[in-house]
Amino acid sequence: MHAVPPVPLGRHREAEQRAHVAELPDGRQADRMSNIHPVDLRRWCYVPGMHVRAARTLERLLEFYTAPAAPLAGDPAERAAALFREVAATVPAYAEFLAEHGASTGTPFGELPLVTKESYLRRYPLASRCRHGRLEDSDTIAVSSGSSGRPTVWPRSVVDELAVARRFEDALVHSFGGHERRTLVVVCFALGSWVGGMYTAAACRHLAAKGYPVTVATPGNSVEEILRVVAELSPGYEQTVLAGYPPFVKNVVDEGARRGVDWAAYGIRMLLAGEVFSEEWRELMGRRAGMSQPDHDSVSLYGTADAGVLGNETPLSVRVRRFLAAEPAAARELFGDSRLPTLVQYDPMIRYFEAVDGTLLFTGDGGVPLIRYHIADEGGLLSRDELVAFCRRHGFDPGDGDDRPFVYVFGRSLFTVSYFGANIYPENVAAALDHPGLADDITGKFVMQVRTDADEERRFCVAVERAPDRPAAEAAELADAIRTTLVRLNSEFANYVPAAYQTPVVEVRDPGDPEYFPVGVKHRYSR
């Protein structure tokens, strides 16, 4: 990695004069600080009269800008316990929360009460959930999407962005080779108070400041602006990263193709977050965007408004997931479910995960620090060694990769529908609609629901969005593909639902249909 130490403050002009030009392996040149020891750099964080907050921020920035793109060293459990003790001493709401549950700093970490939105976030005032009760110590405010209820406010600081920037750095370096290639990152998430777009832009700007050849463009979720930015800027870069919500990125690529955009010429990569997608979808987007290395060309981020990005796909995790997608019996054995989850690696020194009763907890620092926060995502944890060994026992060698553990995430059960006692998940239906024979005529968005007809017969129904400028897909063909895929992937569906009721009622709707596919809002796959 060619990380560049931080540029000194303006008052240290003599240090700037000691910078020299160094040749990088690919022939480019970059300013490198040559004669300054890291200890000297650290001293710059403390200047007489400087506000303590500024000094602490500079120190944390220095740690990030001078660190390699690698997991942090140390004992994750001890780091989480140390954060707990510090939060108990400095965050008024958490101290009160502990007392109400009969817990204290002497309580073993694994016995601490779980923090939830209902028991903690919605019970205590926002300021009291911050250190020393000081909301004003946060630089900005982010807002969750509110997909499970009313939106939640999350205070943030520049320092909080660094944990997220590490996950973007891992994707940029180890998946995209962005330390060696001029890279344009196009932020296709919505901007404003919603967390995804602003966090992505901030994290990638940190990477640019660290010395990577990265430029960030922020057109937001406007297809017209994205295509304009790509046409104008992408020819000057070796690769272009489209960062966004998977269905929206697909819309961008499809609309660009309709307008004659040669995506393959721009070295497209995809940085995706917000929902689980199938490996068929990854294949489909690879073909349409000219991406030829599935384990390196797209990265899914597991992120939440609660704590930013928690983990990211790696080449190793993608290879494993692709193997499991082709072997549903092995996937069910490993995950205990017919769904194929998002599978990512994470740094336990930054986000400390636990699995309890099939759901995930994490502990992590932030503007509102969270200790054993029950995020309510269904999933589990696996070590690198046990996952690789599992694959090898089933005849596939995925390689070794790095030592970081894995977290797998199904999402939240509130997005399922129940039919004859069988849980049907959006991931099951998506796997059917992403096949090449069907995908050209639809956008990939759908809404599933169970309706009762006049005779009180229950029917599984799926509304599917037609692709712009394409004829309506045959509803019968879509229904048959969904039934076939559900029977193959979902053992509950295959065994619980009578054969006469397994074929869904499919309705093809126009793009942007206001009832099922309204424009400009986060899509929901079930109702």
Side-chain angles (χ1 to χ4, degrees):
M1 188 192 86
H2 309 302
V4 180
V7 176
L9 302 175
R11 60 183 297 168
H12 299 285
R13 301 304 300 177
E14 70 279 6
E16 284 188 274
Q17 293 170 6
R18 295 203 295 270
H20 74 282
V21 175
E23 189 81 9
L24 296 182
D26 61 2
R28 293 195 308 273
Q29 292 180 333
D31 291 332
R32 309 279 296 192
M33 301 298 296
S34 60
N35 299 319
I36 303 177
H37 191 275
V39 171
D40 297 321
L41 287 171
R42 187 171 298 279
R43 286 174 183 158
W44 295 358
C45 295
Y46 303 97
V47 176
M50 178 184 287
H51 193 284
V52 65
R53 180 175 165 194
R56 288 172 179 168
T57 300
L58 284 173
E59 184 172 7
R60 292 291 298 278
L61 290 170
L62 176 62
E63 290 172 354
F64 173 76
Y65 287 148
T66 58
L72 297 181
D75 182 339
E78 176 51 39
R79 185 180 176 98
L83 177 63
F84 154 64
R85 292 188 293 269
E86 189 265 334
V87 170
T90 60
V91 177
Y94 190 66
E96 185 177 339
F97 175 79
L98 288 177
E100 288 182 354
H101 288 80
S104 68
T105 53
T107 302
F109 188 83
E111 298 176 14
L112 293 171
L114 304 188
V115 168
T116 68
K117 282 188 177 179
E118 293 302 325
S119 70
Y120 186 69
L121 300 179
R122 290 175 181 160
R123 283 198 59 208
Y124 298 97
L126 179 59
S128 73
R129 291 181 263 128
C130 302
R131 283 179 173 84
H132 308 292
R134 292 175 57 87
L135 179 60
E136 64 270 24
D137 285 348
S138 298
D139 305 339
T140 188
I141 296 294
V143 180
S144 70
S145 64
S147 58
S148 60
R150 66 179 184 271
T152 304
V153 174
W154 296 98
R156 298 283 191 241
S157 72
V158 170
V159 168
D160 298 330
E161 296 167 357
L162 302 180
V164 174
R166 288 181 180 275
R167 303 280 58 79
F168 281 86
E169 182 178 30
D170 187 61
L172 184 82
V173 173
H174 298 120
S175 290
F176 300 154
H179 58 305
E180 299 174 332
R181 300 171 184 159
R182 297 188 309 278
T183 301
L184 175 67
V185 177
V186 182
V187 178
C188 306
F189 292 107
L191 301 174
S193 60
W194 308 110
V195 67
M198 299 298 287
Y199 240 153
T200 299
C204 291
R205 289 185 70 183
H206 281 301
L207 299 182
K210 189 169 181 175
Y212 293 107
V214 172
T215 304
V216 185
T218 56
N221 59 343
S222 165
V223 175
E224 290 294 332
E225 278 299 294
I226 292 166
L227 294 179
R228 185 182 68 80
V229 164
V230 167
E232 189 167 328
L233 298 180
S234 291
Y237 292 83
E238 294 169 87
Q239 62 182 359
T240 294
V241 177
L242 300 178
Y245 180 49
F248 183 76
V249 171
K250 181 178 183 295
N251 289 349
V252 170
V253 170
D254 289 349
E255 182 59 28
R258 278 190 284 273
R259 300 186 188 189
V261 174
D262 182 7
W263 291 111
Y266 297 142
I268 295 297
R269 307 288 183 265
M270 293 183 182
L271 200 56
L272 306 160
E275 69 172 44
V276 181
F277 55 81
S278 69
E279 289 305 314
E280 289 86 355
W281 188 93
R282 197 191 307 264
E283 289 277 359
L284 175 70
M285 297 313 298
R287 288 192 298 272
R288 293 187 177 180
M291 301 185 297
S292 59
Q293 292 183 288
D295 58 342
H296 282 82
D297 290 337
S298 59
V299 170
S300 179
L301 304 172
Y302 171 33
T304 70
D306 316 64
V309 179
L310 302 170
N312 58 280
E313 283 189 328
T314 61
L316 173 61
S317 77
V318 174
R319 290 193 293 270
V320 170
R321 191 173 189 264
R322 290 172 64 76
F323 162 69
L324 294 171
E327 299 290 340
R332 281 195 294 271
E333 178 185 343
L334 181 64
F335 301 124
D337 201 289
S338 66
R339 295 171 288 172
L340 188 65
T342 294
L343 180 66
V344 303
Q345 289 185 272
Y346 69 98
D347 186 343
M349 291 288 288
I350 297 177
R351 298 290 183 255
Y352 183 73
F353 273 101
E354 301 171 82
V356 176
D357 298 329
T359 59
L360 297 170
L361 321 175
F362 72 83
T363 294
D365 205 354
V368 172
L370 297 169
I371 307 298
R372 304 198 80 210
Y373 179 59
H374 190 218
I375 196 172
D377 282 340
E378 298 177 355
L381 307 176
L382 293 163
S383 71
R384 190 281 307 271
D385 289 346
E386 66 181 316
L387 185 56
V388 169
F390 176 89
C391 291
R392 289 173 179 165
R393 286 198 304 272
H394 287 76
F396 174 67
D397 186 352
D400 290 323
D402 65 56
D403 290 334
R404 281 178 298 155
F406 288 78
V407 57
Y408 59 91
V409 191
F410 293 113
R412 298 172 189 177
S413 58
L414 59 87
F415 299 119
T416 68
V417 297
S418 180
Y419 185 52
F420 286 89
N423 288 321
I424 303 176
Y425 304 95
E427 299 95 320
N428 298 155
V429 175
L433 300 182
D434 289 336
H435 279 289
L438 302 174
D440 287 345
D441 295 330
I442 58 179
T443 66
K445 292 182 183 178
F446 59 89
V447 176
M448 57 183 195
Q449 62 189 131
V450 175
R451 292 177 179 163
T452 303
D453 65 19
D455 294 325
E456 295 300 315
E457 292 276 13
R458 287 168 61 78
R459 289 290 181 181
F460 176 48
C461 302
V462 183
V464 179
E465 186 179 40
R466 175 178 63 82
D469 303 324
R470 300 289 295 185
E474 290 291 336
E477 186 178 1
L478 295 172
D480 185 62
I482 292 171
R483 181 194 63 79
T484 301
T485 302
L486 282 171
V487 169
R488 180 174 68 88
L489 295 180
N490 190 324
S491 58
E492 282 189 355
F493 183 90
N495 289 284
Y496 296 177
V497 181
Y501 291 85
Q502 288 181 348
T503 301
V505 176
V506 171
E507 182 181 7
V508 180
R509 295 270 182 143
D510 287 337
D513 179 87
E515 183 178 358
Y516 285 96
F517 309 107
V519 177
V521 300
K522 187 173 183 178
H523 181 61
R524 294 193 58 147
Y525 287 88
S526 62
R527 59 168 62 174

